[in-house]
Amino acid sequence: MAKGLQGFSWTMLLLFCTIQELGSWAMHTAVEGPGLGEPGDPSLLAGGRVKRGWVWNQFFVVEEYTGTEPLYVGKIHSDSDEGDGSIKYTISGEGAGTIFLIDEITGDIHATERLDREQKTFYTLRAQARDRQTDQLLEPESEFIIKVQDINDSEPRFLEGPYIGSVAELPPVGTSVMQVMASDADDPTYGSSARVVYSVLEGEQHFTVDSKTGVIRTAVADLDRETQDRYEVVIRATDMAGQLGGLSGSTTVTIVVTDVNDNPPRFPQKMYQFSIVETAPVGTAIGRVKAEDSDVGENTDMTYQVKDEEGVEMFKVTTDSNTQEAVITVQKPLDYESKKVHTVVVEALNKFVDPRFVDLGTFRDQTIVRVSVLDVDEPPEFRPPSNLMEVQEDAHVGSVVGVVTALDPDTANHPVRYAIDRSTDAERIFDIDAKTGAIVTGKVLDRETAGWHNITVLAMEADNHSQVSRASLRIRILDVNDNPPELATPYEAAVCEDAKPGQLIQTISVVDRDEPQSGHRFYFTLAPEATNNHHFSLLDIQDNTAAVHTQRVGFNRQEQDVYLLPILVVDSGPPALSSTGTLTIRVCGCDSNGAIQSCNSTAYVVSATLSPGALIALLVCVLILVVLVLLILTLKRHHKSHLTSEDDEDMRDNVIKYNDEGGGEQDTEAYDMSALRSLYDFSEIKAGDGGGGPGEGGPGRNPASELHALPQWVQSPDLDFSVFRDYICRKVEQADEDLSVPPYDSFQTYAFEGSDSPVPSLSSINTWSSGSEQDFSYLGGWGPRFRQLAALYAGRRGEEDSEES
C-alpha cells in the first residue's frame, strides 16, 4: 500500500511538474518568443521546431530504506519525448551510477543503496537528454537535487560528559548545581525528531532537572557532607518532545557536596592526664591534646587557649599548624614541694566561623588537663638570692664578710656544704666555712688594687656532691683613708727675672688614691722648712687647688737660678694624712712681653753658630782619626800573625790532627802495608846496630836495617803481643763477616811512618839498646828547627854520663 501511495504521489508530482513547465513555456514563448527564432540559437532544433524544456521538480528519498528492491526516486522527462525510444536519458554528479541509477528510455531514477541523512542531507546531479542515434543533446544539461528525507533514527547524546558538579552542603531548595546538554543528529527543521526533553532517572530524591534547559537543581535543603559527600544522578534526554516512540539517551552526573563550617570542634575526652618532673626547664612540652572537627580543609583550623588563671600563669598552649593539636608547655618553673598537681582548662575554637550557622551553637569546646609534678633530687637553693657583700679594706685576715645560706628544697632536707670555686678566686683572697657558709677574708685587702671581687660560691648536698648549685657573689671593698694625697705631677714653674710681686707662677692640684664617700677635701700650706721663704707665697683656693705667687721684685739668675719650694698637702681624713711635694721654680730671661727666652745661668753668653767650612773641617778631622785607628789595628794584627808563624815553626807546638777515615779494605796503594806487617816482627831485629844520623843509609836499605839505625826501644823479654794480635784479628773477622757494615768501616792500625821519610824516626819504642848506649850528637846537625831537641837530648846524655862516673 505504501508503494502504491508513493507511485501515486510521484504521478501527481509529475503531472504538476508538467503543468508548471507548460505554463513556463507558454510565458516564455509570449515574452521571449522572437528571440527563440533567431538563427544559430541552440534552442532551435532541426526543422525549425522550438525546444520546450525539462519536465521535473525537486526529488525526495527517504533515509534508511530497508526494502529489497531499489527505491524509486522519480522520473525525468523531456517534452520532446514522444515515447518512441529515440531519446536517451543520462545523469551525472554525486552518486550517479553508484547510488542512483536511471532508465535511459523512461528516465526513471532509482536509489540502490541505503541513505543516511545524518551523513549527507542531499545530492546534486545533472540530467541530459540525447538523441539515441546521433548522441546529440536534445536539451541543455540541467542540474537537479535529490534530498534525503529525515526519519527519527538518532537518539539524543550527551557529548560533554562525564559531568562533575559541586554544591555546598545545606543549600536552599532549588539551588542550581550545573547544566547538562544533549545533542540529536536528526533534522531539527523536520518534525519533532530533534526536540529533546530532560528528566531524572536516578537521584530524584535530592535533585531535579529542568526539562527544557537541562539545569540540575537541589530538591532538598538537608544535604549534609558529613552524611554523604557524593551523589550519582542519572539524567535522561528524550527526543520527539518526550512523546511515545521517541528515542532517548542518558548520562551520569557526579555531584560533590562541598564542606561548610557547620560542625564545632569537640574533644574526644573530657579529661587528660600528663606528668612531668619538677626540674623540667621552661619551654618543655608536657603533652598534646586535639579537638576533632567533622569538617575538612580550613574549616578544621582551630586555636587553643588556657581558660583558668592558674593554668595561664604556669602553662602555655600553642597550636601545631600541621596537626591542629594543642601543645602544652611549661611557662614557669615547677616545684613538687609547693604543688604536686596542676589543673588546666584548655579550650578549642574554630578560626573561621560561618555566620550563617551561628544559630547551630557555639563553635568551641573545653577539656580539663591534669598535670602531675614528679619529685626529683634537686640541688640546694640559695636563700635569699642577694649577691652583694661589702667589707672594709682594712679588715683583718679572717674577718667575716658575710654569710650565704642554701637549703635543700627536697622533702628529705639533706645538710648542705659550701665551697668557693677557686677558678674565680685563684689568689684565695676569701675563704668560706663549709658548714655555716660564712665568707671570711683570706688575705689583706687593698681597695686601690682591686675594688671589686667576683666569686662563685658552691652549695652541695653533704652526701651527694653531684647536686651542686652555684651563686655569683660580688664583694665590694669599702675605702679607708690609707693613702696620703700627692701632687698631681712633679711641677716645674718658671719666673721672669723682672717679675713683680703677686704674679701667679703655678696652680697646683693633688691626687689621692682613696675615694671617701663625702668626696675629697685637701688643704695646702708651705712646709715648715720653707717658713723663712720670702720669695714666694702659697694661696689655698679652697677648691682642692692652690696658687703660687711671687713675693718680691725681680730675681737674678746669676745669684740663684733655681728655687725649691716644699708644699705640704693634707686630706680630710679620717685619719688625716699628708705628704710634702716640691715645686721647682727656675729663673728665666724674658722679653718685654713676658715670654720666656732662656732659663740657663749663662744665657747671656751668645753662642756663635758654626759656618759650613768649620763643619767640613770638623768632619775631616773625625775621618782622619778613624783611619788612624783602623791602621793601628791592622798593624797590630799583622804583627801578631807574624809572631804566630814563627811560633808554628817550633816542633813542640806543631800539632796536626788528621780525620781521614781511609779508603777501606780496598785501599792498599795509599800506604805501605808491609811496614805494618813487620812492625811487631821482633825476631828479625838484631842487637849491636848503633844509631846513625840522617845521612846514613841509602835508598836501597831495607826496612829492617832502617829500624836498626833508628833509636830503638828495649823490648822486655816477658812481653807478649799475641794477645793484642789475636784481639785485633777477631775484630777484623767480625767486621768482614758483618754484611750490614759498609765497606769503609774497617779497622786498620798505622804505627809506622813509612820508608821514604828523609828524617829517621825519633821514637825510642823499638830500640834494642839502653839509654846509655844512645848518642844524640847527630841531632845538632839537623838544623835550627831541631836545636832545642838536640839540647834536650845532649843535656840528658851529659846527666847520664855524670851518673855513671
Side-chain angles (χ1 to χ4, degrees):
M1 180 178 179
K3 184 175 182 182
L5 291 174
Q6 185 178 5
F8 174 76
S9 62
W10 278 109
T11 302
M12 297 298 293
L13 175 62
L14 290 176
L15 180 59
F16 172 78
C17 290
T18 301
I19 296 172
Q20 184 179 11
E21 287 296 328
L22 289 175
S24 300
W25 173 78
M27 185 180 296
H28 182 74
T29 301
V31 176
E32 300 180 1
L36 293 174
E38 292 181 2
D41 191 338
S43 62
L44 295 179
L45 300 176
R49 186 171 59 87
V50 180
K51 171 182 177 292
R52 296 203 173 120
W54 291 102
V55 182
W56 71 63
N57 201 347
Q58 181 173 288
F59 297 130
F60 294 90
V61 61
V62 180
E63 68 171 335
E64 304 295 342
Y65 173 70
T66 58
T68 58
E69 297 294 332
L71 179 63
Y72 179 76
V73 178
K75 183 182 184 68
I76 62 174
H77 181 72
S78 174
D79 57 358
S80 61
D81 188 359
E82 297 179 357
D84 56 358
S86 61
I87 298 176
K88 181 177 67 174
Y89 296 99
T90 60
I91 59 174
S92 63
E94 296 177 337
T98 56
I99 300 176
F100 303 103
L101 299 177
I102 188 171
D103 190 321
E104 294 180 353
I105 298 173
T106 63
D108 294 334
I109 301 174
H110 292 79
T112 61
E113 294 183 9
R114 185 177 179 179
L115 303 179
D116 187 1
R117 193 203 66 83
E118 285 71 35
Q119 294 182 357
K120 193 172 182 63
T121 59
F122 62 91
Y123 296 84
T124 303
L125 295 93
R126 290 176 297 280
Q128 297 174 352
R130 292 178 180 271
D131 186 276
R132 188 177 294 276
Q133 297 298 327
T134 63
D135 199 32
Q136 292 182 355
L137 286 175
L138 300 177
E139 302 286 350
E141 186 178 74
S142 180
E143 184 179 281
F144 67 95
I145 295 174
I146 300 176
K147 187 174 182 181
V148 182
Q149 190 174 4
D150 182 46
I151 64 173
N152 189 21
D153 60 342
S154 299
E155 72 279 3
R157 293 184 180 181
F158 294 91
L159 302 179
E160 298 179 1
Y163 294 94
I164 299 177
S166 62
V167 62
E169 62 177 329
L170 303 179
V173 176
T175 301
S176 176
V177 178
M178 64 180 302
Q179 183 181 18
V180 295
M181 294 184 66
S183 174
D184 196 320
D186 292 328
D187 188 0
T189 64
Y190 180 76
S192 300
S193 300
R195 292 180 58 189
V196 179
V197 295
Y198 301 93
S199 61
V200 179
L201 283 183
E202 296 180 12
E204 64 275 5
Q205 303 91 337
H206 302 93
F207 299 94
T208 61
V209 62
D210 189 294
S211 61
K212 294 181 179 180
T213 62
V215 176
I216 302 175
R217 302 179 184 276
T218 57
V220 294
D222 59 351
L223 293 179
D224 188 8
R225 188 204 64 81
E226 288 73 31
T227 303
Q228 184 176 351
D229 62 351
R230 184 184 296 268
Y231 293 88
E232 303 290 340
V233 181
V234 179
I235 304 297
R236 180 174 63 185
T238 307
D239 59 10
M240 297 296 292
Q243 296 178 5
L244 185 62
L247 302 178
S248 64
S250 63
T251 185
T252 300
V253 179
T254 302
I255 301 176
V256 178
V257 181
T258 58
D259 184 58
V260 297
N261 193 8
D262 59 337
N263 293 283
R266 290 289 181 264
F267 284 102
Q269 301 175 214
K270 289 302 179 183
M271 179 177 292
Y272 295 86
Q273 291 188 353
F274 299 101
S275 60
I276 188 171
V277 296
E278 60 176 333
T279 56
V282 174
T284 303
I286 300 173
R288 293 171 174 249
V289 296
K290 182 179 181 181
E292 297 179 353
D293 194 329
S294 302
D295 297 322
V296 294
E298 67 175 11
N299 295 323
T300 61
D301 293 348
M302 59 188 71
T303 58
Y304 298 89
Q305 58 186 6
V306 179
K307 295 300 293 182
D308 59 311
E309 295 181 359
E310 177 189 359
V312 170
E313 181 182 0
M314 299 298 298
F315 303 98
K316 181 180 179 182
V317 176
T318 58
T319 304
D320 189 331
S321 59
N322 295 324
T323 62
Q324 296 300 315
E325 293 178 315
V327 182
I328 305 172
T329 56
V330 178
Q331 184 167 280
K332 190 176 180 180
L334 304 174
D335 186 11
Y336 172 82
E337 288 72 25
S338 300
K339 192 169 186 178
K340 299 178 177 59
V341 178
H342 296 268
T343 301
V344 184
V345 178
V346 178
E347 182 181 67
L349 62 157
N350 283 131
K351 281 186 179 180
F352 310 103
V353 179
D354 195 332
R356 297 177 299 171
F357 307 105
V358 174
D359 56 346
L360 298 179
T362 57
F363 284 78
R364 61 183 63 199
D365 192 22
Q366 293 182 352
T367 188
I368 297 175
V369 178
R370 291 173 57 87
V371 181
S372 299
V373 182
L374 304 179
D375 187 26
V376 295
D377 189 7
E378 299 177 89
E381 294 180 356
F382 286 92
R383 299 177 183 175
S386 175
N387 60 350
L388 176 62
M389 292 184 180
E390 295 179 344
V391 61
Q392 296 283 345
E393 67 173 322
D394 60 348
H396 298 290
V397 175
S399 300
V400 177
V401 179
V403 179
V404 294
T405 303
L407 300 176
D408 184 6
D410 298 323
T411 307
N413 194 16
H414 297 95
V416 178
R417 296 294 180 263
Y418 303 92
I420 293 178
D421 186 354
R422 288 305 173 187
S423 63
T424 61
D425 185 26
E427 298 180 2
R428 295 183 176 270
I429 299 177
F430 300 96
D431 293 321
I432 190 171
D433 191 294
K435 294 183 179 181
T436 63
I439 298 176
V440 298
T441 58
K443 290 184 178 180
V444 176
L445 304 177
D446 185 11
R447 189 204 64 82
E448 288 71 31
T449 303
W452 289 88
H453 295 273
N454 298 320
I455 64 174
T456 300
V457 179
L458 309 178
M460 63 200 77
E461 294 182 2
D463 55 352
N464 185 7
H465 289 181
S466 63
Q467 297 294 333
V468 181
S469 294
R470 297 172 178 267
S472 297
L473 185 62
R474 302 172 66 239
I475 300 177
R476 179 183 180 183
I477 309 302
L478 300 179
D479 185 44
V480 174
N481 192 26
D482 56 349
N483 293 281
E486 300 174 351
L487 294 182
T489 59
Y491 286 103
E492 288 189 4
V495 61
C496 295
E497 287 184 302
D498 57 352
K500 298 179 175 57
Q503 183 176 340
L504 176 64
I505 299 176
Q506 182 69 46
T507 301
I508 297 174
S509 61
V510 298
V511 293
D512 194 334
R513 298 176 61 191
D514 296 321
E515 292 182 359
Q517 296 181 357
S518 58
H520 290 289
R521 178 66 181 94
F522 302 111
Y523 304 95
F524 300 87
T525 183
L526 293 177
E529 57 267 27
T531 54
N532 296 327
N533 170 61
H534 302 291
H535 306 291
F536 306 97
S537 63
L538 179 66
L539 175 63
D540 191 343
I541 308 178
Q542 305 296 322
D543 61 351
N544 294 334
T545 62
V548 178
H549 297 82
T550 58
Q551 208 172 10
R552 76 175 205 182
V553 177
F555 295 87
N556 189 351
R557 49 180 169 163
Q558 297 298 324
E559 297 178 357
Q560 185 174 354
D561 60 345
V562 177
Y563 293 89
L564 301 178
L565 186 65
I567 299 174
L568 179 65
V569 183
V570 183
D571 61 16
S572 57
L577 300 178
S578 63
S579 67
T580 300
T582 301
L583 173 63
T584 302
I585 304 174
R586 297 183 181 277
V587 180
C588 302
C590 303
D591 57 11
S592 59
N593 297 323
I596 297 175
Q597 297 295 321
S598 173
C599 295
N600 295 326
S601 59
T602 60
Y604 60 90
V605 179
V606 179
S607 60
T609 58
L610 295 178
S611 63
L615 292 176
I616 294 174
L618 182 61
L619 290 176
V620 170
C621 294
V622 172
L623 290 176
I624 293 173
L625 291 176
V626 171
V627 170
L628 290 175
V629 171
L630 293 177
L631 182 61
I632 293 171
L633 292 175
T634 303
L635 292 175
K636 290 181 68 176
R637 181 176 299 178
H638 178 71
H639 180 68
K640 182 177 181 180
S641 62
H642 179 70
L643 295 176
T644 303
S645 62
E646 291 181 355
D647 294 341
D648 290 343
E649 294 179 358
D650 193 350
M651 297 302 296
R652 293 174 297 176
D653 297 333
N654 190 11
V655 179
I656 301 175
K657 181 179 180 181
Y658 297 95
N659 292 327
D660 295 339
E661 296 184 357
E665 297 179 356
Q666 301 298 329
D667 188 3
T668 58
E669 297 179 0
Y671 303 94
D672 186 3
M673 305 301 293
S674 61
L676 298 177
R677 296 190 188 98
S678 62
L679 180 63
Y680 296 103
D681 190 4
F682 299 103
S683 62
E684 299 178 0
I685 302 176
K686 305 296 183 179
D689 295 337
E696 299 178 4
R701 296 181 59 184
N702 57 27
S705 62
E706 185 177 355
L707 288 173
H708 296 163
L710 295 174
Q712 302 293 325
W713 169 62
V714 179
Q715 180 182 6
S716 177
D718 56 349
L719 292 178
D720 185 8
F721 290 94
S722 62
V723 176
F724 302 100
R725 186 181 299 106
D726 294 340
Y727 175 77
I728 294 173
C729 291
R730 287 198 306 273
K731 292 299 181 182
V732 171
E733 291 177 358
Q734 291 177 4
D736 293 340
E737 295 176 356
D738 190 356
L739 300 179
S740 62
V741 177
Y744 51 79
D745 286 345
S746 61
F747 183 84
Q748 297 182 7
T749 303
Y750 303 95
F752 186 67
E753 293 182 356
S755 60
D756 294 333
S757 175
V759 181
S761 174
L762 301 179
S763 175
S764 60
I765 295 178
N766 287 336
T767 182
W768 283 96
S769 62
S770 63
S772 60
E773 298 176 357
Q774 299 289 331
D775 185 7
F776 298 101
S777 60
Y778 62 88
L779 296 176
W782 285 11
R785 295 186 177 182
F786 298 93
R787 186 180 298 113
Q788 295 183 3
L789 183 63
L792 290 174
Y793 275 87
R796 183 178 180 182
R797 178 65 180 173
E799 292 177 359
E800 291 178 354
D801 293 342
S802 61
E803 290 177 358
E804 291 177 357
S805 62

